[in-house]
């Protein structure tokens, strides 16, 4: 029987009572004869607290020591969970990412897993140990701690499931599965029975924090189904992220995502000549600032406005890099808008259907929500709106596409 890889998120491990409850769930599966590898996140809001500590010391929230600091959170959970399992009479061993053979590149705080050497994990399994691994972390080529970006322990779990030949990755969290939108924003959100990798990837990339986007990419690449379910509510069936979706018709919107982590940078009156965009975005890339959407207006008298969006945390850096480049190019002012959010509708049905954009824009207009920018992919339409209107926009779109109503079941 292939081993089982489970992951428990921070809210599932928020205190020692929850850790003991999770240990009992794991023990029950092991007593039923399964071999378990368990990936854990830091307890509760520990990662936020560690970030807070760093900020009390310095505004520089990146680099080697910052990664090392954040990695401590997951190590606390591994040790406590292994101790709880031993207390229940089950031999368990806690491993850091490095001890588990998780190797990454050397981007300290947005590292990508490059290789997993599962020798140690296999050795521990052969000794009948339950293996508890610190998620979100790995080891750089220089043997330093790296972290995978916020929410990254989902990615650790899926990568380990692929490396160990697990039948699926089980992600346990504080909601019953993947919903049509964040149930904390719209209580009418409905749990999905299953969802295709491509749709979940778009939702996650556009802010549905229930899964880390890179985890879905790895699931898709290695064809590992990912089960998202509740660690609190054992009786509820979760959501399966997989290739073929059988329970919902493809011709409808599957979900609405909200990303509140957005700032827009506008460079006014940019000279309309070749090579300008390359200079601005080249400088941002050299400084390691990821740019999300880019919109350039039509040129009027050889001058255009260029707007791009970055993560909220990056706006100061983006401004500091863009201003001198804009001045050198003879552009106008650089303007920042940091009270923005992106609201997206996602569904593979959009590839073949018509009218999705019309319905979306009509619904937002009826609610007097102004759209500042529109971007699309084959299976997504995204509107940039003001942050204060964003949650209402999510509810308006959820209603407009009737996502609270169960879809007809296809058999
Ligand atoms: P964990 O600590 O288990 O990793 P996260 O907080 O990262 O948990 O992810 C779970 C949260 O994701 C939920 O509490 C919910 O508020 C949020 N969320 C956002 N979009 C969705 C969605 N479409 N379906 C379910 N939960 C969502
Ligand atoms: N503890 C990390 C975070 O809060 C990783 C994770 O929870 O997935 O982002
Ligand atoms: Mg998470």
């Amino acid at each position: 029987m292939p081993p089982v890889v489970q992951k428990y998120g921070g809210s599932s491990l928020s205190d020692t009572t929850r850790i003991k409850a999770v240990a009992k769930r794991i023990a029950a599966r092991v007593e039923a004869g399964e071999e378990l590898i368990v990936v854990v996140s830091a307890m509760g809001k520990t990662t936020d607290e560690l970030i807070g500590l760093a900020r009390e010391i310095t505004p520089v929230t990146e680099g080697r020591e910052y990664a090392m600091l954040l990695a401590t959170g997951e190590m606390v959970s591994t040790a406590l969970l292994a101790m709880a399992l031993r207390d229940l009479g089950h031999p368990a061993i806690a491993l850091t990412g490095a001890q588990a053979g998780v190797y990454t590149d050397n981007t300290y705080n947005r590292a990508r897993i490059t290789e997993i050497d599962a020798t140690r994990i296999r050795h521990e399994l052969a000794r009948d140990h339950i293996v508890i691994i610190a998620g979100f972390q790995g080891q750089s080529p220089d043997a330093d701690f790296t972290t995978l970006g916020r929410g990254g322990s989902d990615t650790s779990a899926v990568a380990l499931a692929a490396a160990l030949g697990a039948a699926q990755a089980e992600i346990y969290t504080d909601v019953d599965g993947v919903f049509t939108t964040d149930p904390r924003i719209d209580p009418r959100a409905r749990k999905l029975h299953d969802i295709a990798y491509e749709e979940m990837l778009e939702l996650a990339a556009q802010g549905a924090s229930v899964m880390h986007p890179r985890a879905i990419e790895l699931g898709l690449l290695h064809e590992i189904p990912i089960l998202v379910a509740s660690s609190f509510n054992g009786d509820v069936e979760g959501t399966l992220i997989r290739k073929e979706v059988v329970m919902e018709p493809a011709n409808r919107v599957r979900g609405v995502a909200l990303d509140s982590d957005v700032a827009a940078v506008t460079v006014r009156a940019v000279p309309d000549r070749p090579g300008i965009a390359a200079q601005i975005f080249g400088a941002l890339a050299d400084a390691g600032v990821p740019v999300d959407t880019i919109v350039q207006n039509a040129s009027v008298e050889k001058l255009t406005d260029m707007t791009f969006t970055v993560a909220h945390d990056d706006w100061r850096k983006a401004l500091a890099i863009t201003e001198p480049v804009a001045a050198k190019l003879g552009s106008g002012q650089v303007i920042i808008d940091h009270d923005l959010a992106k609201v997206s509708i996602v569904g593979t049905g959009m590839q073949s259907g018509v009218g999705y954009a019309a319905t979306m824009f009509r619904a937002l207009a009826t609610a007097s929500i102004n759209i500042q920018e529109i971007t699309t992919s084959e299976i997504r339409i995204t509107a940039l709106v003001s942050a204060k209107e964003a949650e209402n926009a999510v509810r308006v779109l959820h209603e407009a596409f009737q996502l609270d109503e169960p879809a007809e079941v296809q058999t």
Side-chain angles (χ1 to χ4, degrees), residues 12-13 15-27 80-81 83-85 87-88:
S12 305
L13 302 165
D15 55 31
T16 47
T17 309
R18 289 292 313 155
I19 290 179
K20 286 192 225 171
V22 166
K24 280 202 185 123
R25 289 173 53 104
I26 296 168
L80 291 175
L81 183 57
M83 285 152 73
L85 278 160
D87 224 42
L88 295 175

Side-chain angles (χ1 to χ4, degrees), residues 180-181 188-190 252-256 345 397-406:
T180 46
T181 194
R188 285 175 307 170
R190 189 171 48 84
R252 56 184 270 162
V253 169
R254 195 82 65 191
V256 182
I345 57 167
L397 294 176
H398 198 266
E399 166 104 51
F401 289 98
Q402 296 160 344
L403 296 184
D404 54 328
E405 289 171 21

Side-chain angles (χ1 to χ4, degrees), residues 215-264:
I216 312 296
E217 274 176 11
L218 288 178
L220 176 65
L221 186 68
H222 298 283
E223 284 199 27
I224 304 272
I226 303 169
L227 176 73
V228 182
S230 169
S231 71
F232 295 79
N233 211 346
D235 305 333
V236 178
E237 192 192 5
T239 302
L240 197 59
I241 306 167
R242 60 174 158 189
K243 206 165 156 197
E244 302 290 341
V245 173
V246 292
M247 295 297 280
E248 300 241 350
N251 64 348
R252 56 184 270 162
V253 169
R254 195 82 65 191
V256 182
L258 168 63
D259 184 353
S260 309
D261 182 24
V262 186

Side-chain angles (χ1 to χ4, degrees), residues 70-187:
L70 297 203
T72 62
E74 270 64 18
M75 294 194 295
V76 172
S77 310
T78 51
L80 291 175
L81 183 57
M83 285 152 73
L85 278 160
R86 284 203 193 153
D87 224 42
L88 295 175
H90 287 282
I93 182 157
L95 298 177
T96 63
Q99 287 171 332
V102 179
Y103 295 101
T104 70
D105 61 18
N106 55 11
T107 327
Y108 286 116
N109 300 291
R110 279 188 192 130
R112 283 169 79 96
I113 296 175
T114 48
E115 194 202 329
I116 291 183
D117 173 357
T119 312
R120 174 81 186 265
I121 300 176
R122 290 215 173 84
H123 173 68
E124 299 298 344
L125 289 174
R127 294 169 60 203
D128 284 336
H129 279 159
I130 304 169
V131 183
I132 315 291
I133 301 174
F136 175 59
Q137 59 176 252
Q139 178 173 298
S140 77
D142 301 327
D144 286 334
F145 277 102
T146 55
T147 55
L148 309 180
R150 295 306 306 269
S153 48
D154 298 332
T155 298
S156 310
V158 178
L160 283 159
L164 292 159
Q168 64 177 17
E170 301 176 7
I171 307 290
Y172 292 103
T173 182
D174 60 354
V175 281
D176 288 344
V178 178
F179 284 66
T180 46
T181 194
D182 187 339
R184 291 180 212 286
I185 296 176
D186 193 337

Side-chain angles (χ1 to χ4, degrees), residues 7 151 154 209-210:
K7 175 247 163 179
D154 298 332
S209 54
V210 63

